[in-house]
Amino acid sequence: MQTIVTNATFLVGPDLTPQHGSMAIVDGRITAIGPEVRADPGALVHDLEGATVLPGLMDAHCHLVYRDVADPYDIELRKSVPQATVDAVYNAQDLLRQGFTTVRDVGSRANIGVEVRNAIRRGDVPGPQVHAAGQIVSAPGGLGDFQPSHIHEGAVYASGLAVLVVGPHEARAVVRRQLKDGADWIKVGVSGTGFNPLCPAERSGLSAEEFDAVVDEARRQHVPVAAHAESEDAVRSAARAGVATIEHAIFLADDALEDIVAKGVTISPTLSMYRAFAEHGLELGIPQVIVDEHKRTHEHHVRSIAKAVAAGVPIVAGGDAGLTHFPQGACAREAATYVELVGMSPREALKTLTVNIARLLGVIDDVGTLDVGKVADLVAFRGDPLDDVTTVADPAARVLVMRAGEVVR
């Protein structure tokens, strides 16, 4: 049966060009867009009363297991693996209802992201299209070694957000094991982070030999790598390695930027989350030590991303959300943050939530733009996001979400 979405402005193609009129959908795919589209007899018609329609939103840096967490204790110890699984299923449905039709899960406990992806594909639970990493590949004393040493007394904590490797042979084995278990991406922690006071942003995590082994094994197995890199050395190492994405890139040196441009590396800044911590962290219930770390690095982060944008580096929006008072779906705030802090136009900022991520994930032939022949993943808002980019983060402005032509809300 034909579905018609009418009386709307559609942001069409990779440049999000406004097109007034209607959209026809058959069998979950777009068959026509424009003022000449007419409904067949018996078609299901949705009159949007002048709303603006975008491609379904995307989140390139999601952790489906994050739900109302304030610190590493909340993520790993307060919640059991069964509870984390329930949280991930809940978050998947919640993100879809908010208009996120595709997400990249860049690290979860116990392979939860992969299993939720599979359940969504089977139709067991509702949710966006998920591209999933396994546990974050880290090292003792590195990014993912969140708890004080006396907690586990040196024992392996199999249910953590990260897997800790020692030496290049273990690093290679972890990559192969994660691929066996169904991972689409390998997530590796090259530096520390302000979210882990035991391993601050400037500290390196993996050794050069361990990191090189992860990237080399992933490349040999034809799987992309997302590298968490905040420190200058870590960003430089990730850029030289030519990973698919650098997450955060807080301290970005000029020589690293040259490698990023030359090798076509994409950056996922997650700038809104870091901004929220730095500017409002204590109000959000974030511990003082974590807030202080983010305040210390925030201005560096803004300068680094502005420099990358000026150099033409592809930027993809990522939420890193699910934290206390920075809930899943807050990735939509990235667009306004890029406009306000790093000088993007609204159109370019909206691309970071749509077409740029589709290109990164290799799904641009099916989703990421509104074009004839593509899957009808879309979200509609009252107002014009090209005029006021904050619209996409306003729940009251959202009027329709479709996933593959089916109404979600």
Side-chain angles (χ1 to χ4, degrees), residues 91-106:
N91 285 334
Q93 180 173 0
D94 185 44
L95 281 165
L96 183 59
R97 289 178 58 82
Q98 292 185 61
F100 286 87
T101 54
T102 301
V103 302
R104 182 180 61 153
D105 187 307
V106 288

Side-chain angles (χ1 to χ4, degrees), residues 335-380:
T337 297
Y338 296 154
V339 171
E340 294 168 12
L341 297 188
V342 302
M344 278 191 191
S345 69
R347 176 173 274 105
E348 292 303 312
L350 291 173
K351 289 181 183 180
T352 71
L353 280 162
T354 53
V355 60
N356 291 6
I357 299 179
R359 286 177 175 149
L360 169 69
L361 298 177
V363 294
I364 190 64
D365 289 342
D366 271 330
V367 294
T369 66
L370 301 179
D371 284 300
V372 172
K374 291 198 174 182
V375 174
D377 286 0
L378 56 87
V379 57

Side-chain angles (χ1 to χ4, degrees), residues 258-276:
E258 290 176 4
D259 279 332
I260 287 169
V261 172
K263 298 185 179 184
V265 177
T266 295
I267 293 178
S268 177
T270 70
L271 193 55
S272 296
M273 185 274 288
Y274 281 70
R275 179 188 191 183

Side-chain angles (χ1 to χ4, degrees), residues 138-312:
S138 185
L143 167 74
D145 193 359
F146 286 117
Q147 310 306 332
S149 297
H150 67 269
I151 298 294
H152 302 297
E153 298 183 342
V156 174
Y157 180 44
S159 297
L161 187 66
V163 56
L164 307 184
V165 301
V166 178
H169 298 301
E170 283 191 9
R172 287 183 183 275
V174 163
V175 171
R176 293 193 290 267
R177 189 177 306 119
Q178 291 194 355
L179 294 180
K180 180 191 76 172
D181 292 339
D184 302 306
W185 283 73
I186 300 299
K187 171 70 177 297
V188 57
V190 194
S191 78
T193 175
F195 197 67
N196 182 356
L198 304 178
C199 186
E202 291 90 345
R203 186 177 298 167
S204 295
L206 296 170
S207 69
E209 294 79 9
E210 290 162 340
F211 175 58
D212 289 345
V214 170
V215 175
D216 182 68
E217 188 63 31
R219 186 168 286 131
R220 194 171 72 88
Q221 303 286 356
H222 308 291
V223 63
V225 173
H228 169 105
E230 298 189 13
S231 71
E232 186 174 302
D233 285 344
V235 174
R236 183 178 291 114
S237 295
R240 286 176 178 170
V243 297
T245 62
I246 295 176
E247 312 301 306
H248 315 305
I250 290 177
F251 295 93
L252 176 59
D254 289 344
D255 60 333
L257 180 58
E258 290 176 4
D259 279 332
I260 287 169
V261 172
K263 298 185 179 184
V265 177
T266 295
I267 293 178
S268 177
T270 70
L271 193 55
S272 296
M273 185 274 288
Y274 281 70
R275 179 188 191 183
F277 276 25
E279 295 180 356
H280 305 289
L282 294 180
E283 303 164 36
L284 303 180
I286 307 301
Q288 180 77 57
V289 64
I290 293 177
V291 173
D292 289 344
E293 281 295 299
H294 284 83
K295 284 182 177 179
R296 186 174 60 81
T297 60
H298 179 57
E299 290 184 6
H300 293 282
H301 199 185
V302 172
R303 286 197 296 270
S304 292
I305 303 309
K307 184 163 60 173
V309 169

Side-chain angles (χ1 to χ4, degrees), residues 69-107:
V69 295
D71 54 31
Y73 173 83
D74 278 355
I75 294 169
E76 290 196 333
L77 300 181
R78 178 167 65 90
K79 298 191 177 190
S80 66
V81 169
Q83 179 61 59
T85 305
V86 171
D87 287 343
V89 171
Y90 175 92
N91 285 334
Q93 180 173 0
D94 185 44
L95 281 165
L96 183 59
R97 289 178 58 82
Q98 292 185 61
F100 286 87
T101 54
T102 301
V103 302
R104 182 180 61 153
D105 187 307
V106 288

Side-chain angles (χ1 to χ4, degrees), residues 5-131:
V5 178
T6 191
N7 192 11
T9 298
F10 300 89
L11 301 188
V12 174
D15 288 326
L16 303 179
T17 303
Q19 174 73 67
H20 304 290
S22 302
M23 172 187 287
I25 301 165
V26 177
D27 294 331
R29 289 188 178 265
I30 300 167
T31 58
I33 306 174
E36 305 304 321
V37 173
R38 297 290 180 267
D40 293 341
L44 178 62
V45 178
H46 299 281
D47 186 338
L48 296 191
E49 300 178 346
T52 302
V53 181
L54 279 73
L57 302 182
M58 301 183 178
D59 185 342
H61 191 114
C62 176
H63 297 277
L64 287 172
V65 296
Y66 285 10
R67 184 181 176 197
D68 188 27
V69 295
D71 54 31
Y73 173 83
D74 278 355
I75 294 169
E76 290 196 333
L77 300 181
R78 178 167 65 90
K79 298 191 177 190
S80 66
V81 169
Q83 179 61 59
T85 305
V86 171
D87 287 343
V89 171
Y90 175 92
N91 285 334
Q93 180 173 0
D94 185 44
L95 281 165
L96 183 59
R97 289 178 58 82
Q98 292 185 61
F100 286 87
T101 54
T102 301
V103 302
R104 182 180 61 153
D105 187 307
V106 288
S108 68
R109 302 172 62 191
N111 217 35
I112 291 170
V114 168
E115 295 300 340
V116 171
R117 176 202 69 193
N118 294 345
I120 292 169
R121 287 180 180 175
R122 290 191 302 265
D124 295 345
V125 296
Q129 179 184 144
V130 176
H131 299 254

